[in-house]
Amino acid sequence: MTEPLREKPLTQNIHPGAEPLDLRAYVASGGYQGLRRALKMTPEEVQQEVIRSNLRGRGGAGFPTGKKWTFVPMGPAARRPKYFIVNADEMEPGTMKDRFLMEGDPHQVVEGAIIASYAIQADVAYIFLRWAYKLSSRRLARAIAEAREGGYLGRSVLGSGWSLEMHLHTSAGRYMCGDETGLLDALQGRRATPRAKPPYPQSVGLWGKPTVVNNVETVACVPHILARGAAWFRSLSHTGDGGTKIYGASGRLRRPGLWELPMGTTLREIIEQHAGGMADGLRLRGLLPGGASTEFLTAEHLDVRMDFGEVQKVGSRMGTGTVVVLDDRNCPVGMLLALERFFARESCGWCTPCREGLPWVVRTLEALESGRGEMRDMEVLDMHARLLGPGATFCALAPGAAEPLAGALRRFWADFERHVAEKRCPWR
Amino acid sequence: MLSEIEKREIAAHRGHYADVRAVVPEALKIVQGHRGWISDEALKDIADHLALAPDEVDSIATFYTIIFRRPVGRHVILLCDSVSCHLTGYDAVREHLASRLGIGLGQTTADGRFTLLPAACLGLCEQAPAMMIGEDVHGNLTPHKVDEVLARYD
């Protein structure tokens, strides 16, 4: 395997604590060159360039981005208006990477959204932003206004004859808004409940019109792919998935944080080198590789490369790539309870297994944590890990909740048994 | 009736969407910003202004986290209880907040100064445990730091 280029395109302009680049400074640093190159290509050529880059969606699912774009009806027969939406509703527990990108370099997100909109010939773009991200909101609003004044948005973008409007939409808060189809309903001013697929949003999306929804980090990669080419983007990675990745780590670590590293960096490098290892006196017991809805891994998996395929091989998912680390002074059952409380509270209530099953999981875990658990409770939990899995519900919330549940039972069975045998949480 | 300024602020967003319903979440946030919370009267004002049924507006108001259908204090504390904060000291911070303010989660202090609410992951995981007060974020919380932070809000 050849060594990746050690470049950091996504964070080259980001200096935490400082104001982000304004339009003039962003252009001076090479910004909007990707858009200029894209506008000289046909939309289909832009789609093909992104397909060749092996960019996969950074929201967690890892779907090939360029391929997603090819599902949008093109040409004069396509229904209009077409929409492009940046999913900036970051709410996966343990995940803070999109905030870092939006606060740090808002024009990079805006430029990526314009190029993606061009690739599908969208007429209107929305950035669907989480309400809690106040600083991102101010900075994105300013970047959009500057881009409009500079001719990068509005009528005939840079004289190309293609027009695009862009609006910042701030949500009112709910995990379901991050689900692709829940987001569409939220944006239409309805309760965020998932839609049955097919039809997929690429053909029937926002207000029934062709729509693409891409994650912030995905969108931030696009200007660089267009400016410097698909081959260069692929060479940033250790593995077959193109590009760099914004990895993060939280929990009781010496230096929790965020780092842009080659795609496919090992968990060991992220945790031991960049996060500085566990805080004093603590031992690593387990980890969630990419947010709350990924299966637990343990210390034996530290040499796994963090990309979409490699993490799947050991039974989990890279998800958002932001690692949450469990230390030996925190109770694994208690951690699982915190995770499942989140999912139970955020369930939109649309599908019965999720609405009814998750509170049951929470009550069972509460019984175990408070010393009222019985051995058969673990069978109840195991049953839920299967019944809440893929296929039983419209969206990925319940399957996401089932992943750490199944993982905790697999990796920490003895800890569950101790709760029952000792009739208390051994960590309290 | 909505005030002129409320109407003007809602109008600034109305043109962003193909359908009037889409402006409801923003309208609720705007009116809540002026009135503190969404009373039945506020709900009806918004519905009348947008020519929607009050129930339609309420279906949005009751679904989304940061729309308050009950009165809240001058400052709303949103305390993150998700996984990274759970692992790094959430329990101690919550207990300290509860004892300092004399209220539990979901309650408002008798003087109307603070409302304490649980919040899902605020995306501040590298500085966990964390909370928001109004628009401000506060990370790396300890009981001592909580005291310092609270003192800044009158």
Side-chain angles (χ1 to χ4, degrees):
Chain A
M1 199 175 291
T2 52
E3 263 299 293
L5 295 176
R6 288 278 168 176
E7 290 184 50
K8 302 188 176 193
L10 300 189
T11 55
Q12 63 192 5
N13 296 332
I14 297 182
H15 305 286
E19 282 294 308
L21 301 186
D22 63 9
L23 177 64
R24 184 194 297 253
Y26 181 73
V27 169
S29 79
Y32 288 105
Q33 288 304 316
L35 175 61
R36 287 181 188 280
R37 175 147 180 262
L39 292 175
K40 293 193 187 108
M41 300 159 70
T42 67
E44 289 78 6
E45 285 169 348
V46 175
Q47 294 178 3
Q48 290 305 317
E49 186 75 7
V50 173
I51 287 175
R52 280 194 296 275
S53 76
N54 291 350
L55 171 64
R56 296 178 66 176
R58 304 289 200 247
F63 194 83
T65 304
K67 195 167 173 211
K68 195 179 203 180
W69 297 352
T70 64
F71 299 144
V72 175
M74 300 294 283
R79 289 175 308 120
R80 305 195 91 95
K82 293 196 270 187
Y83 295 103
F84 180 79
I85 302 172
V86 182
N87 186 344
D89 195 60
E90 181 167 70
M91 204 172 156
E92 179 71 20
T95 304
M96 59 302 198
K97 65 183 181 71
D98 295 340
R99 172 179 58 81
F100 184 67
L101 290 171
M102 292 186 288
E103 288 180 358
D105 201 3
H107 271 291
Q108 177 174 245
V109 178
V110 171
E111 183 186 358
I114 298 171
I115 297 170
S117 297
Y118 177 74
I120 63 162
Q121 291 289 288
D123 306 278
V124 182
Y126 291 99
I127 300 178
F128 188 101
L129 179 69
R130 186 168 182 212
W131 63 271
Y133 287 179
K134 310 288 185 189
L135 191 57
S136 297
S137 171
R138 289 195 288 274
R139 290 178 173 180
L140 284 168
R142 183 175 162 199
I144 292 169
E146 286 179 340
R148 193 174 288 128
E149 276 175 40
Y152 300 93
L153 281 170
R155 206 168 255 293
S156 187
V157 170
L158 294 178
S160 65
W162 166 72
S163 302
L164 180 72
E165 271 310 316
M166 186 179 290
H167 305 295
L168 180 63
H169 174 94
T170 309
S171 83
R174 204 68 195 254
Y175 183 58
M176 273 304 302
C177 300
D179 170 76
E180 189 173 58
T181 62
L183 182 151
L184 298 177
D185 273 16
L187 188 48
Q188 288 182 214
R190 297 172 179 275
R191 297 165 82 91
T193 52
R195 300 178 182 178
K197 293 187 267 193
Y200 288 89
Q202 291 91 330
S203 48
V204 183
L206 191 66
W207 290 298
K209 298 299 200 303
T211 304
V212 164
V213 183
N214 282 151
N215 167 263
V216 168
E217 187 185 350
T218 312
V219 170
C221 292
V222 171
H224 305 287
I225 294 169
L226 269 295
R228 303 189 59 185
W232 166 84
F233 190 75
R234 288 199 308 271
S235 69
L236 295 170
S237 167
H238 280 291
T239 67
D241 296 348
T244 57
K245 176 80 190 79
I246 308 290
Y247 293 109
S250 63
R252 285 170 158 173
L253 294 154
R254 281 210 176 82
R255 292 189 304 273
L258 292 151
W259 312 275
E260 182 179 15
L261 299 168
M263 178 64 90
T265 299
T266 63
L267 280 163
R268 186 182 303 283
E269 182 182 330
I270 295 165
I271 292 170
E272 294 182 357
Q273 190 177 325
H274 302 286
M278 303 301 292
D280 282 340
L282 299 177
R283 208 166 54 81
L284 182 144
R285 280 221 62 202
L287 60 92
L288 303 170
S293 50
T294 58
E295 275 217 24
F296 278 96
L297 297 177
T298 59
E300 65 179 292
H301 300 110
L302 284 174
D303 294 312
V304 170
R305 289 198 178 277
M306 284 278 275
D307 80 355
F308 292 104
E310 294 299 311
V311 184
Q312 217 153 24
K313 283 184 194 158
V314 293
S316 186
R317 295 187 304 118
M318 179 172 77
T320 58
T322 45
V323 185
V324 183
V325 172
L326 169 68
D327 59 86
D328 59 345
R329 295 234 202 104
N330 264 301
C331 172
V333 179
M335 177 180 178
L336 182 63
L337 175 56
L339 289 164
E340 299 301 331
R341 274 185 177 143
F342 165 84
F343 289 113
R345 191 169 65 197
E346 292 299 330
S347 172
C348 74
W350 185 256
C351 308
T352 308
C354 181
R355 182 185 65 239
E356 305 297 328
L358 289 172
W360 199 323
V361 169
V362 167
R363 285 195 295 274
T364 308
L365 290 169
E366 282 171 349
L368 283 161
E369 268 291 89
S370 62
R372 293 177 286 115
E374 301 173 15
M375 282 304 288
R376 63 179 177 186
D377 286 340
M378 276 119 80
E379 289 166 35
V380 170
L381 292 174
D382 184 57
M383 181 182 77
H384 278 84
R386 284 178 284 113
L387 293 178
L388 295 173
T393 51
F394 276 54
C395 87
L397 190 149
E403 288 195 37
L405 176 59
L409 290 169
R410 180 175 304 135
R411 313 283 183 203
F412 306 116
W413 185 264
D415 298 296
F416 284 83
E417 284 185 333
R418 275 187 70 192
H419 281 72
V420 177
E422 297 179 24
K423 295 193 188 309
R424 67 187 183 98
C425 172
W427 276 266
R428 277 189 221 172
Chain B
M1 280 277 284
L2 294 182
S3 69
E4 286 310 310
I5 185 161
E6 287 168 338
K7 285 182 192 167
R8 212 162 45 238
E9 287 178 23
I10 293 169
H13 289 269
R14 174 63 188 90
H16 297 179
Y17 309 103
D19 179 60
V20 66
R21 284 184 71 124
V23 82
V24 170
E26 197 59 44
L28 286 162
K29 283 187 281 179
I30 286 166
V31 172
Q32 179 168 284
H34 289 286
R35 306 187 189 183
W37 64 295
I38 299 296
S39 64
D40 289 351
E41 188 194 350
L43 200 75
K44 192 169 177 307
D45 290 346
I46 293 169
D48 288 348
H49 179 64
L50 299 177
L52 295 167
D55 278 0
E56 282 184 277
V57 179
D58 203 19
S59 76
I60 302 302
T62 53
F63 186 83
Y64 291 99
T65 312
I66 53 150
I67 304 301
F68 307 131
R69 285 289 273 119
R70 283 192 288 169
V72 291
R74 281 199 300 286
H75 309 289
V76 176
I77 302 173
L78 294 163
L79 178 62
C80 177
D81 60 8
S82 288
V83 63
S84 305
C85 290
H86 167 85
L87 293 170
T88 50
Y90 158 78
D91 277 333
V93 170
R94 186 203 61 221
E95 280 163 23
H96 188 76
L97 270 169
S99 78
R100 275 300 304 269
L101 300 174
I103 54 172
L105 292 170
Q107 296 179 332
T108 300
T109 54
D111 60 2
R113 187 170 157 223
F114 290 110
T115 296
L116 179 61
L117 296 176
C121 183
L122 295 170
L124 301 164
C125 318
E126 82 283 13
Q127 37 187 310
M131 65 180 178
M132 287 181 76
I133 302 183
E135 300 220 336
D136 311 329
V137 298
H138 302 284
N140 296 313
L141 295 175
T142 59
H144 179 71
K145 186 166 175 194
V146 165
D147 288 342
E148 282 179 11
V149 168
L150 289 182
R152 287 180 231 160
Y153 296 87
D154 59 2

